């Protein structure tokens, strides 16, 4: 089950024993974003921001057949999910393709996709080394709990761009929770809750995939709750810039790994009981890491820094809140049922 403690009981006990009052700061009111912040908002590759299915019909899926039909249709659609929908394994190892210009959004706090995952991208082709004309783009996924997939929960691949994954919950997948690879670009992952999962966020396919990945894979991660998700939060290859800010890390083996000359800008995050909060000496060639205003509590190592990293404000405006508020604000606002 997910854990969402704000004040550690052991810390509270110490304060009480000392005759002090344990005061937890009130969480500021956080209205859900109506549009993405970060790379998914950038005007690039012929797409000005990420609008999903805006302008298309709104439909509601309550069955597997309805959902699979809607996500495969051409053109913009806003697809509402009501209740729990089981995604079959079949011949696709449980991965089901989402076409361009789609918004997938759950209704209420109980929308679930169970047993399979979503694939955002055309079929893999190692010989394609630049964005194809039919690259999947402009996809929004919000307010859905995706769990129990036999492969990835969400896979973004083959030059897909302008994807916003927001206010969703991810648990118990066999491989990645959200994998972003093979030249995909301009993506924001925000206000999500990850628990009961091992290899959480992969950026970059592998160490030998520079032809597709180098210079792409620009991703923003903000206000996510890594709730005991063990590793890859995220693990990055080849990206010129991955921006990681105001995320809450709670009981992870490592937080961020930057490798293969990736540039990671980490700021305003809160790490509690994380063995390695940030690494550049990990596996493969060294990465680059800039860090500021992060808080580390009960961690075994400091955040490793190396090289220079491009300021995210080169691409987009944003406001990072103080790291001290993250353990309160993020669990209160992240995941399904919060918009």
């Amino acid at each position: 089950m997910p854990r969402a403690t704000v004040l550690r009981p052991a810390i509270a006990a110490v304060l009480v024993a000392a005759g002090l009052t344990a005061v937890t700061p009130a969480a500021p009111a956080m209205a859900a974003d109506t549009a993405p912040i970060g790379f998914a908002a950038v005007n690039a590759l012929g797409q000005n921001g990420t609008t999903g299915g805006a302008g298309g019909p709104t439909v509601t899926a309550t069955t597997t057949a309805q959902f699979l039909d809607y996500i495969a249709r051409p053109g913009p659609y806003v697809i509402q999910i009501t209740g729990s929908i089981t995604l079959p394994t079949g011949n696709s190892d449980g991965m089901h393709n989402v076409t361009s210009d789609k918004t997938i959004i759950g209704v209420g706090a109980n929308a679930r996709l169970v047993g399979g995952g979503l694939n955002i991208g055309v079929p893999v082709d190692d010989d394609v080394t630049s964005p194809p004309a039919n690259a999947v783009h402009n996809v929004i996924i919000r307010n859905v709990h995706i769990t129990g997939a036999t492969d990835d929960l969400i896979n973004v691949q083959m030059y897909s761009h302008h994807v916003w994954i927001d206010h969703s919950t991810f648990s118990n997948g066999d491989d990645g929770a959200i994998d972003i690879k093979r030249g995909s670009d301009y993506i924001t992952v925000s206000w999500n809750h990850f628990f009961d999962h091992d290899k959480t966020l992969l950026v970059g396919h592998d160490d030998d995939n520079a032809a597709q990945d180098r210079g792409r894979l620009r991703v923003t991660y903000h206000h996510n709750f890594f709730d005991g998700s063990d590793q890859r939060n995220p693990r990055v290859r080849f990206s010129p810039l991955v921006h990681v800010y105001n995320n809450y890390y709670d009981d992870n083996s490592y937080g961020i790994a930057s490798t293969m000359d990736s540039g990671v800008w980490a700021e305003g995050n809160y790490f509690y009981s994380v063995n390695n909060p940030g690494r550049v000496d990990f596996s493969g060639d060294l990465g680059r890491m800039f860090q500021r205003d992060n808080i580390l509590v009960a961690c075994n190592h400091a955040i490793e820094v190396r090289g220079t990293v491009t300021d995210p404000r080169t691409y987009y405006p944003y406001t990072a809140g103080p790291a001290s508020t993250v353990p309160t604000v993020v669990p209160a606002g992240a995941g399904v049922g919060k918009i």
Side-chain angles (χ1 to χ4, degrees), residues 65-90:
Q66 288 173 337
F67 179 74
L68 295 181
D69 173 28
Y70 292 141
I71 65 173
R73 291 185 181 184
Y77 277 84
V78 176
I79 304 164
Q80 298 179 330
I81 298 174
T82 299
S84 184
I85 293 175
T86 298
L87 298 179
T89 300

Side-chain angles (χ1 to χ4, degrees), residues 303-322:
I303 296 174
E304 299 173 5
V305 294
R306 176 180 178 267
T308 60
V309 181
T310 301
D311 190 324
R313 288 186 175 86
T314 303
Y315 290 91
Y316 53 80
Y318 70 97
T319 301

Side-chain angles (χ1 to χ4, degrees), residues 41-221:
V42 172
N43 186 350
L45 301 177
Q47 177 70 37
N48 188 4
T50 305
T51 58
T58 297
V59 295
T60 299
T62 60
T63 68
T64 301
Q66 288 173 337
F67 179 74
L68 295 181
D69 173 28
Y70 292 141
I71 65 173
R73 291 185 181 184
Y77 277 84
V78 176
I79 304 164
Q80 298 179 330
I81 298 174
T82 299
S84 184
I85 293 175
T86 298
L87 298 179
T89 300
N91 297 323
S92 63
D93 201 20
M95 300 302 295
H96 301 277
N97 294 328
V98 180
T99 57
S100 297
D101 304 313
K102 298 294 180 293
T103 295
I104 298 170
I105 186 165
V107 176
N110 299 308
R112 289 164 55 96
L113 296 175
V114 180
L118 301 179
N119 181 67
I120 302 171
V122 297
V124 169
D125 187 340
D126 291 334
D127 294 329
V128 176
T129 56
S130 62
N134 64 336
V136 177
H137 60 280
N138 195 30
V139 174
I140 296 173
I141 299 171
R142 304 186 80 193
N143 199 45
V144 183
H145 185 176
I146 306 179
T147 185
T150 55
D151 194 346
D152 299 326
L153 298 171
I154 295 180
N155 176 47
V156 185
Q157 67 176 9
M158 288 303 296
Y159 304 94
S160 295
H161 61 93
H162 289 89
V163 177
W164 182 28
I165 302 168
D166 177 71
H167 276 96
S168 290
T169 299
F170 298 89
S171 63
N172 194 32
D174 276 3
D175 196 359
I178 302 174
D179 282 2
I180 298 168
K181 57 195 182 184
R182 295 185 179 276
S184 296
D185 216 349
Y186 296 103
I187 296 166
T188 295
V189 178
S190 56
W191 292 102
N192 299 293
H193 184 189
F194 301 91
F195 72 95
D196 191 20
H197 196 87
D198 181 14
K199 298 176 180 179
T200 312
L201 305 172
L202 178 68
V203 180
H205 177 58
D206 63 28
D207 290 355
D208 297 322
N209 203 50
Q212 290 184 325
D213 284 339
R214 189 183 301 280
R216 300 182 176 95
L217 303 175
R218 284 163 283 210
V219 186
T220 303
Y221 297 98

